[in-house]
Amino acid sequence: SQPIVGVGAVIVQDGSLLIVKRGVEPGKGKWSIPGGAVDLGEEVREAVMREAKEECGLDIEIIDDRPMDAVDGITVDKEGRLKYHYILLQFLAHPKGGILKPSSDVLDAKWVPLEEVEKYDLTRTFRAFFQKHQSELKSRL
């Protein structure tokens, strides 16, 4: 009955971006960045760090305190009815510990050079985000 606030961890290291293969809807089977819904009472930055740990086993450090972007992830069903509406806040981060291991809601997780990210079957919202911010990500590595 109302949008859900979600977060995404844009984790970069050594010219590569960490992407995950979604294991649940929306976007099941497609590649995106680690992320998920903010829990009631949880701050968005805490949610980013929690989701990175839950989905990938990594501890992260948020590089910039403000989100890179705010994106509406709206999905409608075949009859045109609203199925999902997420407001997604993506935060740029670096890994600071842990071992990359897909878990929780992801089927796979891997480091991909920025030049190769768009070769993957990305979610619609992440593809739009990546195309918009690709040059910024290259400059921040």
Side-chain angles (χ1 to χ4, degrees):
S1 63
Q2 62 188 24
I4 296 170
V5 176
V7 293
V10 184
I11 307 170
V12 293
Q13 176 178 267
D14 301 327
S16 294
L17 174 70
L18 179 66
I19 60 173
V20 297
K21 190 172 191 178
R22 311 272 354 137
V24 296
E25 294 294 349
K28 183 176 181 178
K30 294 190 178 277
W31 292 87
S32 186
I33 52 176
V38 177
D39 292 336
L40 188 62
E42 182 179 42
E43 295 183 4
V44 292
R45 288 154 192 83
E46 291 172 356
V48 173
M49 293 186 281
R50 174 183 54 78
E51 288 289 348
K53 186 68 169 182
E54 285 179 4
E55 292 190 356
C56 304
L58 294 180
D59 298 309
I60 62 169
E61 175 183 16
I62 295 174
I63 298 170
D64 194 347
D65 190 49
R66 55 192 174 108
M68 291 181 72
D69 208 340
V71 178
D72 285 292
I74 299 173
T75 305
V76 294
D77 65 17
K78 292 176 182 169
E79 288 77 38
R81 293 181 303 232
L82 186 63
K83 190 171 182 181
Y84 301 105
H85 183 179
Y86 286 92
I87 298 170
L88 307 168
L89 304 173
Q90 291 93 350
F91 287 86
L92 189 60
H94 285 302
K96 69 174 191 176
I99 297 172
L100 180 60
K101 180 181 174 189
S103 59
S104 176
D105 297 341
V106 302
L107 303 173
D108 197 4
K110 60 173 68 176
W111 292 103
V112 176
L114 285 179
E115 306 80 42
E116 296 178 20
V117 170
E118 289 190 275
K119 294 178 183 176
Y120 286 78
D121 185 16
L122 305 175
T123 63
R124 180 181 43 81
T125 52
F126 179 64
R127 184 172 298 280
F129 169 84
F130 185 76
Q131 289 172 345
K132 180 178 177 183
H133 295 281
Q134 188 172 7
S135 61
E136 178 184 358
L137 289 171
K138 285 180 181 177
S139 72
R140 301 292 296 261
L141 295 177

